[in-house]
Structures are given as structure tokens and as C-alpha cells.
Amino acid sequence: MENEFYAAQKTKPDIRELTIERGLGYPSDEELLMLILNKGTRESPVEQLAHKAMKVINTSNQEDLVDNLTRIDGIGYAKALALAAAVEIGRRRNGYLKSVITSPLDILPYVKHFSLEQREHFVSIALNGSREIIEEHVVSVGTAKRTMVHPREVFKHAVKVNASGIICCHNHPFGKCLPSREDMNVTSRLLLAGEVLGITLLDHIIITQDSYFSFLEHGMLKKSDGQERGPLEGVPLDGHLQTDRSLDDYPLGDKPQDGHPQDAAIFE
């Protein structure tokens, strides 16, 4: 009887076609599992497998999930691992939502994976008035040396989610963790665009695999108390910037040691 019910669902439009047409927000949770499973077996249609898998996911601990999924007829270790991996990705991605960002160091755990990329990725993190993360968005992907960034694209998603501020970040796949002239020009344009839109550029962070550079920490943004200063006034161009901090040295919320400019800077 159950198989007859799921067989009858084949008269409905294919969920893959509907998802392509309407976006990933359209499918239900079970339909998302159907997309991951791709197909069922002769005895268990994909709809039935997804239904059973959802019950297991909702009632399993993380450490038991794969084994529990393999107990479903039609789901072997390959499919179980794919489902568990999707659940883990969702857990990690949702982990940063509503996280409060009080200093540049707080954002590093959420962007440090971009340091492993072989091309430059420019990322915009939107925050609300309480400095909680709303959304992380990859604005553009460039070459190993540069990526093209336009303020319109950076702020588009921030406007959409009603952000009050953004933190921008991009990786340097090769070379030193120092801002280039183009990095400084982009930051200047973003500062001006943010003033017009009423969305504060809180920081621009450059990361490599073993270090990071914060425009805020190095006094290259306007002060948070509103004191007037040129967007990039006093930018040091002699290369003597202190960038020896390791991405792995600071767990979430830790403050750096003395000796670095504006280490105690807070997003107010």
C-alpha cells in the first residue's frame, strides 16, 4: 500500500525540475533528501527512502547517524555518508548565524577556509544592529592575483537582508598578507558607498594560510566614534605592517597579545 502511494507521486512534476525553476528554497526537507539520494530501488522509491531517512535524521545523534541510515533498506554506506555529509554542512553553515562579532578576530573562524583557495575570493559578511551575523556571501571569485569587486555587488545582498554593517574579507592565495594598492582603493570606495547607503563597513580583512591583516586594526578605517578622518589617511606604505599573527593562534573570542595596532578595537 505504501509503495502504491509513492508510485502515484510520479504523476507530479519532477522535484529536480521544480527546484531548478523555483530555487533551492522551494523543496521540503524530504524533497532535498530526494535530490541527494537521486534515485531509489525497485522495492523502495526515492520518495519512500527520503521519508524514512528524514525520520532517522531527526532522531539520531551525530555519532550514530551513518550507521542508523544504513539500517534502511536501499541505503548503503555511500548514500548514508552523502546524507550525513549534507547534514553536517548544514550544521556548520548555520553555526555562524546570530554569532556576535565584537572584534576582527571573531570573524576569522568563519572565513579562514577561504585561505586554502587557489583563487582570490571576495566575501561580504552582513551583520545586524546587534553585530550578529545575518549572512555570508561570496561576492566574486577572481584569479590567483586579483578579483574584480564593485561596491554595487558587495552591498546588494546587505541591502536585501537589511544589514546595518558589513565585514569584507578576501584571501591572498600567494604572496604576503599585505594590502595592495588596489585593495586600498577598493576599501576607500566601499567606505564611501557604505556612507551613502547607511551600511557601515566595519572592517576589511585579508587572509592567507598562516596570517591575516585587518584594515580596522591598522587604523585604516574611520574611527568607530565618528571622528572625521580620510578613509585611508595615514596608510603605511613602507611594508612594515605587523602581520605575524596566525589564524590558528586565536580561538573564537580570544584577544591578541600586546604589540599590534588597535588590538582592542571593538565594533560599536
Side-chain angles (χ1 to χ4, degrees), residues 21-235:
E21 177 184 344
R22 304 183 185 184
L24 282 169
Y26 172 78
S28 66
D29 290 350
E30 287 189 15
E31 288 170 336
L32 287 173
L33 295 185
M34 288 168 54
L35 292 174
I36 298 170
L37 290 168
N38 189 35
K39 61 182 179 180
T41 65
R42 180 174 300 179
E43 294 77 18
S44 300
V46 67
E47 295 89 348
Q48 184 176 348
L49 287 180
H51 179 69
K52 292 180 178 179
M54 181 55 65
K55 287 185 176 180
V56 170
I57 290 171
N58 289 337
T59 57
S60 296
N61 295 321
Q62 183 179 0
E63 61 271 18
D64 303 322
L65 181 56
V66 172
D67 286 339
N68 290 346
L69 286 170
T70 58
R71 294 191 178 98
I72 300 173
D73 290 338
I75 295 184
Y77 273 102
K79 288 183 177 180
L81 284 171
L83 291 170
V87 172
E88 177 64 14
I89 288 175
R91 186 187 67 82
R92 294 182 185 183
R93 295 284 291 181
N94 287 328
Y96 66 75
L97 295 179
K98 298 299 182 180
S99 296
V100 178
I101 305 301
T102 61
S103 72
L105 284 173
D106 290 346
I107 204 70
L108 293 181
Y110 307 113
V111 297
K112 64 184 298 184
H113 60 281
F114 289 107
S115 67
L116 302 175
E117 297 292 339
Q118 298 300 303
R119 294 190 294 169
E120 276 201 9
H121 286 62
F122 195 97
V123 183
S124 176
I125 298 96
L127 293 90
N128 61 23
S130 298
R131 296 297 179 258
E132 297 172 329
I133 297 178
I134 305 173
E135 180 185 71
E136 178 183 285
H137 180 73
V138 178
V139 177
S140 62
V141 179
T143 65
K145 294 183 177 180
R146 65 181 300 185
T147 180
M148 300 298 293
V149 180
H150 194 285
R152 177 182 61 244
E153 299 302 319
V154 173
F155 284 97
K156 179 172 66 175
H157 290 272
V159 171
K160 184 178 179 181
V161 297
N162 296 316
S164 68
I166 63 170
I167 298 173
C168 291
C169 174
H170 78 277
N171 62 310
H172 279 184
F174 305 101
K176 296 181 179 180
C177 195
L178 294 171
S180 66
R181 175 64 66 179
E182 180 61 22
D183 292 338
M184 291 185 280
N185 289 337
V186 166
T187 303
S188 181
R189 294 197 298 271
L190 292 176
L191 278 167
L192 295 174
E195 290 178 6
V196 173
L197 293 170
I199 301 176
T200 306
L201 176 64
L202 297 168
D203 201 357
H204 183 181
I205 299 173
I206 301 169
I207 59 173
T208 61
Q209 291 190 30
D210 57 5
S211 61
Y212 80 95
F213 179 94
S214 162
F215 275 66
L216 176 66
E217 287 184 345
H218 286 85
M220 297 165 69
L221 299 178
K222 288 186 177 180
K223 293 183 178 179
S224 60
D225 60 9
Q227 180 179 336
E228 287 297 320
R229 175 200 287 178
L232 296 175
E233 179 182 330
V235 175

Side-chain angles (χ1 to χ4, degrees), residues 232-253:
L232 296 175
E233 179 182 330
V235 175
L237 298 176
D238 57 5
H240 298 300
L241 298 173
Q242 299 182 20
T243 59
D244 56 341
R245 286 164 284 189
S246 169
L247 286 176
D248 296 318
D249 288 342
Y250 307 114
L252 184 63

